[in-house]
Amino acid sequence: MQNTPNFGFKKPDRLTDTYKIQDQNDNWDSVDSAISSGSWKQPCRAATVSNITLAGTQTIDGVVLVVGDRVLVKNQTTATQNGIYIVATGAWQRALDADTSSDFKSGMAMKISSEGTTNTSSEWFLSNANPITLDTTSLVFTQADGIMSLADTTTATSTASRPNVLLSMLAYMIKAITGKANWYTAPAINLETVNTRFQSTPSKTVADITYYVRTDGNDSNTGTANTTGGAFRTIQRAINSIPQIVNHAVSINVAAGTYAEDVFFEGLYGAGQISIYGNKDVISTSVNASSFLIRKCGVRVEVNGFNLTTTAASGIQGVQCSSLLIKFNNIVGANGTYAGMALYSSTCNVIANNISNRVYAIYSSGSIVNSSGNTGSGNTNKYVLDGAGTIYVNPLAPDTLTATNNAINNGGVLNPWGDNTTSQRSRVTATSNATQNMSAATATKVVFQSVSVDNLIEFSSSRFTAKGGGTFDVKGMCYFNSGVTTTVAYTITIYKNGAAYRFLNSNNGTTQAAPIIPFGTAIDLASGDYIEIYLTTTSATVLSANSFLEITRIA
């Protein structure tokens, strides 16, 4: 007697074996057992969508059931009741091919008919692990095919899963991105529109900001804590984090170390200040960077305490900047082509830097440069002036730069005054000692009642009248007491001989309650010309008692 390999059917030899009725019955029992324990069960007419009473004819998922229908019951509160049932007028019974533990194997599956609303034409499988004990194991049926819904509350993970679960994770992420209550509701505006608005609407500071940069930091950090997990890794990352409109104090503190960067920023403006500190107020080699390029900034920028190592460019370049403060930087890399500092169409204070081994120590093209206390040696040229460039060397704290040539003048102005002539040139320092009300939309002369310096007696009733012709450096600050808001615009104007001559500073509003607004320019005056400072605000405002004005003849 032989047996078949799959079902184990008894197969008698026709010459030696006798075929018995029992052998035939055994073969049919094998067929029945194989069908009963197979991975696919007979189809069901409907599948439940909620807990039901397992008795009587009823409507499930929109299907009106009749006696004898097969139903996949998968949503019972008591999950041990789940399974395949036959509809009856009384209590339902489990289907004959699913009424014992041996009928249930992990992965067994069944199809649902094309009827129904939710489960039409779907396929389901038993997702429990073996072994399974009927009426003891909580049976879980999972959809494998057909109409499926997405659960947008499924948190996204990297775990491999079924397509509907992965799609549910994606729906969760879409909902998180759009901020809507569900994944299928479109946002009010698309990402392209958001991007366009961000590009067209500059960001603003809303408070003072401090960033930290460390060699053990990471540019994916927030930059707001002086720790490995909080600080940025690069100076450029901190610069790139600054809003375009700076109406507050922004400080970037760079820890000791080497940052192989040519730091660049441009287009920042406002009534605040940006300060980038290495080893602050000390010339040292502990905080190393390559170079700084600051371009088209209408906000005061300070670079303080860096060792700048580049030999392929100027150590610091300022281009079309309204106010630069460059202090205590060390620029000594030997280069016969580039300047230590190259300043173009900018207003700069260059103080206590060490500049050596450059073709030009300080280069000014169309810039007003106040130079004080700078040191260095081995330069080819101490100062170079092009076009309308001006360099004013402070006689009270003169530079001790050494160079082969003192200055190359290609049409600029190098301060001609010697150390012993400070009292013989025009110089005025005046401040306000009382608040001053400013009417809305009216150009009003700013009053400076207290005069502490007036070398040639040229300042009276807040008016400066030149006794001799020349170029004058005019600078100061207007301190507001109240009235300025984000919608109140202001304009500071210098009047020459009773008429508006040049705008010195303007803004369409600021978040600071009492902003301090700097102004400055160089102006040519003939003997007898007079100048005054006027302020215009779109709403009534009040200046405090701290505003000041300085006027110095520089050429």
Side-chain angles (χ1 to χ4, degrees), residues 54-70:
L54 295 172
T57 55
Q58 51 190 289
T59 299
I60 293 178
D61 193 24
V63 180
V64 180
L65 300 173
V66 298
V67 173
D69 284 338
R70 287 171 64 92

Side-chain angles (χ1 to χ4, degrees), residues 104-127:
F104 286 82
K105 302 294 182 185
S106 179
M108 81 172 200
M110 68 290 302
K111 294 183 178 181
I112 309 301
S113 74
S114 59
E115 300 178 78
T117 301
T118 301
N119 297 318
T120 177
S121 301
S122 60
E123 297 177 1
W124 298 79
F125 69 93
L126 183 63
S127 54

Side-chain angles (χ1 to χ4, degrees), residues 33-44 70 84 97 103 105-112 121-125 144-145:
S33 176
I35 293 174
S36 175
S37 61
S39 60
W40 282 95
K41 297 296 183 182
Q42 297 179 45
C44 296
R70 287 171 64 92
I84 301 174
D97 61 343
D103 294 331
K105 302 294 182 185
S106 179
M108 81 172 200
M110 68 290 302
K111 294 183 178 181
I112 309 301
S121 301
S122 60
E123 297 177 1
W124 298 79
F125 69 93
D145 195 9

